[in-house]
Amino acid sequence: MEIRTDLALETKERFEKDNVEIKGVVIEEEKLDMECKLTTVKIETENGAKIMGKPKGSYITLDAPEMTEDDEEYRKYVANEFAEILRTLFPRPVRELSVLVVGLGNRDVTPDSLGPRVVDQISMNRHLVKEFGKDVFGWEEECQISGMVPGVMAQTGMESQEIILGVMKETKPNLVIVVDALAARSAKRLNRTIQVSDAGIAPGSGVGNHRQAINKESLGVPVISVGIPMVVDAVTIVNDTMWNLLDALSSDKRSADFCDSLKKFHENEKQELIRELLSPGLNSMFVTPKDVDESVRRVSRMLASGIEIALGTAADEAMAG
Amino acid sequence: MEIRTDLALETKERFEKDNVEIKGVVIEEEKLDMECKLTTVKIETENGAKIMGKPKGSYITLDAPEMTEDDEEYRKYVANEFAEILRTLFPRPVRELSVLVVGLGNRDVTPDSLGPRVVDQISMNRHLVKEFGKDVFGWEEECQISGMVPGVMAQTGMESQEIILGVMKETKPNLVIVVDALAARSAKRLNRTIQVSDAGIAPGSGVGNHRQAINKESLGVPVISVGIPMVVDAVTIVNDTMWNLLDALSSDKRSADFCDSLKKFHENEKQELIRELLSPGLNSMFVTPKDVDESVRRVSRMLASGIEIALGTAADEAMAG
Amino acid sequence: MEIRTDLALETKERFEKDNVEIKGVVIEEEKLDMECKLTTVKIETENGAKIMGKPKGSYITLDAPEMTEDDEEYRKYVANEFAEILRTLFPRPVRELSVLVVGLGNRDVTPDSLGPRVVDQISMNRHLVKEFGKDVFGWEEECQISGMVPGVMAQTGMESQEIILGVMKETKPNLVIVVDALAARSAKRLNRTIQVSDAGIAPGSGVGNHRQAINKESLGVPVISVGIPMVVDAVTIVNDTMWNLLDALSSDKRSADFCDSLKKFHENEKQELIRELLSPGLNSMFVTPKDVDESVRRVSRMLASGIEIALGTAADEAMAG
Amino acid sequence: MEIRTDLALETKERFEKDNVEIKGVVIEEEKLDMECKLTTVKIETENGAKIMGKPKGSYITLDAPEMTEDDEEYRKYVANEFAEILRTLFPRPVRELSVLVVGLGNRDVTPDSLGPRVVDQISMNRHLVKEFGKDVFGWEEECQISGMVPGVMAQTGMESQEIILGVMKETKPNLVIVVDALAARSAKRLNRTIQVSDAGIAPGSGVGNHRQAINKESLGVPVISVGIPMVVDAVTIVNDTMWNLLDALSSDKRSADFCDSLKKFHENEKQELIRELLSPGLNSMFVTPKDVDESVRRVSRMLASGIEIALGTAADEAMAG
């Protein structure tokens, strides 16, 4: 049973907690202003990928604790840092890019609407470039952008991968940016971390709805995935609390031995145990904060800004500055 | 610490499980067609109210397990049964009613949008009756209906109670129907139960956002509250699973004594213990199914139909039949 | 300059008014219950197509004057009649169909949201059939359905045709049903007519946003287009009123001669004259009723029902009866 | 029959065009940066009010031609100028204000959603101030803000005025800011002008849905109304074009006399004539641009910023600078 987090950083932390060293995984950290932090997890070998449960590639995490507060300036700072990260992953100069931005997730479920909302807020120009050329608008240094919201299977009857692949066959972008709401392992991570990766989105990750990989192999062009954790899997929340309980109980003599033995379970055995104890139906549930509407409004705008800054199409020059 | 369920039925079940008999609380059950069941919990004394943690009054639960399935006929049946229940609580003949339907909750958070969506789907006529009279339309047997969606405090800066009270001073309805998404204790109850009550909505109930009572005492006219459980409190989910774990552990000799002693805790002590072990922030979180968008669309329409049938304003005569 | 109506019926009426007979165009009328009327315009020759300004094919108009009234039973009747029409155009038995339902238009502009809303309300099953097979669900007589909302160019940077073609390459449906809000010539037609056609959607039709044909030739499979007029082109409204004025003025001796000469203008000359007189910017404007939110809610549900009835997937058997 | 414009500036322009001087009406103009222009129309006497068809008071128009372009910096400039205008109308120092911001209009009809969207984007604080006091947050210089979206009569069965009055009785604000989509006379004005007034909103103004005045007399506290023209009345569009036609026809000898005599009609007679010639139903229709979704998104955000800047609660200090 796989571990329910979309954040490579959290997977890494878990191993660190267990004092397990992972060969083939390299970590770098950098402190930024505004109490932000940049952590890069590079999974360099197949062995590292296997242990981490994630495909090879770079997973760059921008931790910005205040990103949903009532502070536009802060989000501007974060948007610009996020744009910097994106640029490091671009496969060629911006002016040569033809980008398809894909907003995954369900527009009608508030925490899952992050991807669709980001796409809603990006100005597309592919149709204009195609009809009039870039020079008409003075867009020589900008890239060509198109965007789509494939919807979820219950709405379309189709896999996201099928829809994206089909559209790409017709419109031939040379870069895909996929934006999606992520599932974190810890409730503390919600709404404070942007993960950017060149590894694509693996099957079964996140809220568990994506069956088929969306990555360079499946799409044929580089894929940058962008996400912010908006939910925690209900099973995970229960699991974590339970082991906190066992920690607490260990100090009780009567149960210490027993608890200690339980705690030696592997993570997967633990989760399997919890899953058996859970109410049926909980497997398809998620945990999210009550004010998720305000959070998703704020961070979707921030991501849209960052993407436009990176692509050179931000209307607001001050923002890009 | 109060027990997190808006369903009187669940509170009752808990006491039954503990073999506690509650004086001043009467239960009646009735089987309906389509595997539906009607349970009435009457809290008749202050003592009963204190133990149940809910104000005196009738709490009628219509259990309809298939209400979110792809079956319109089933929802029609349920809407008609629901309309029957509503009528038993009307304080006077329908044609003398002037009803204000209030949709509580946050339109922008999917599971909390139940109340606003129900109001959206009810045809209002108070403005027409006021301007032209009932006889112009042949509405002599119908009631007068108005509706409002007060929004949540973060959106308005005002308590729902203030907004409702103010509007009532101007428009003077003689009955208020309040529709709200409820929090259940058990994930199994989600999307399968309608609770109708004449006891109003008490402070701190449900998702924890309603500070001030909305009931006959505060509003000055009879209040019928209607709700369907759409979420479970995150704390509750963890709590329940945890005690399932302890049940399981009891069979292990090493921990049996210890677990047995823990299980003798009162419900409130248990919840307090869990709360301490939880990640900070989890208190303001809720658990909800991934397909909540489809559920809330279906049941909000069903409730709106039921209210219109009860009020004699349903456009669809076959439905009322 | 083309005449701004998406309704073949209106084009025909205009010629009838001018006492022009069109070779290659055949009309049939049939009275239905509930004051509904069925009119079929068959454009059988290239000559007919040229004169009508519409491609060859059948244009079936179901006129249902009360379709936006507060009367669900009426809409059920219309949904069933509409389903009958659809079935006559199916290229093979329902159980052999694999249908892609496409909702054209802009979800965020109320009158243009008809197509997206219809797709939102249809239950898709292609993903279930693909994974489990039809027999698991007892769906042997039903078809396979998928759906999509491509969005408008300003939102995606792509043509609708490109997106649809791409998705079809991956998912290979054998029938496409396209739903779109139409532009009528006359405000009287708004919200009372369903047009169903096997001729596809031609470039430049309707609100003027669709550049490229969506029809059997371009998509390679039969295309059924479904629409309801939701808007009138602003230019058209002005034009019609103006010629009403000239009619009125003709009775005034001083201007009779002049007006008569003006009225001999061809339709296109007239429109060109109006266009010159209009405020700049009016070309990209439309006229729509103030209560378009209620209308589009009602008729989108009706169309979704009709499509599900025709495809054998309506949950509500009574509806199909 | 009244002249269909909510813009005092347009009413004034009409009289200027006819070379009519209006006693009791004073105009001031001021050029701003970015090709913006400020025009103040002061209606000082009852005579002026009668002629203008608008109540006494100041009508300040900020003309900003590029306000819906893809240029955030421009909208920031306009938001700050708009905030300046608001401040000149505040009846007392900001820190003593308790403001109720009311978003009039229909959330579900795109051009009419301006008011609701503005309220959605303003951070409310009244509930926090009431519970914790201003000093806890360092908000001594800020005002207290609450907000509401009363909805339209078809949705609520109540007049906006009733709802606002009721809420005010409970929450006792000392200033009301009303935001509403306006109807312009000329399509050229759409989406380029902000009108701010201390005269309130008069019955029958705008899209014709507001029956009862929302002003200082009816509410008992100062009212500042804010609006941007989003629609043109369908009748107005037809009317204007028609008289352009007659202008053109006057050069034709055969009809010159006749047209000249028609043109001597009063404005109201002209409109009455047009109304008779129009299709029935057109009276309840409006004209709006096809890209109104993008415009309303952009300008609603700009107005929300301006209001927050004026009230000292803008999160973004750079914006207020």
Side-chain angles (χ1 to χ4, degrees), chain B residues 126 147 156 162 169-170, chain D residues 126 147 156 162 169-170 211:
Chain B
R126 177 181 168 277
T156 65
E162 293 178 299
K169 279 183 187 166
E170 289 295 307
Chain D
R126 177 182 168 278
T156 65
E162 292 177 299
K169 278 184 187 166
E170 288 295 308
R211 308 291 183 79

Side-chain angles (χ1 to χ4, degrees), chain C residues 8 13 16 18 24 27 46 57 73 78 80 96 105 128 158 170 203 213 217 233 235 274 284 289 309:
Chain C
E13 283 171 350
E16 281 166 357
D18 296 351
I27 307 243
E46 282 304 331
E73 283 303 302
V78 177
N80 276 288
E96 293 175 14
L128 300 173
M158 302 182 280
E170 289 295 307
E217 285 66 46
D233 194 87
V235 176
I274 299 309
S284 62
I309 293 168

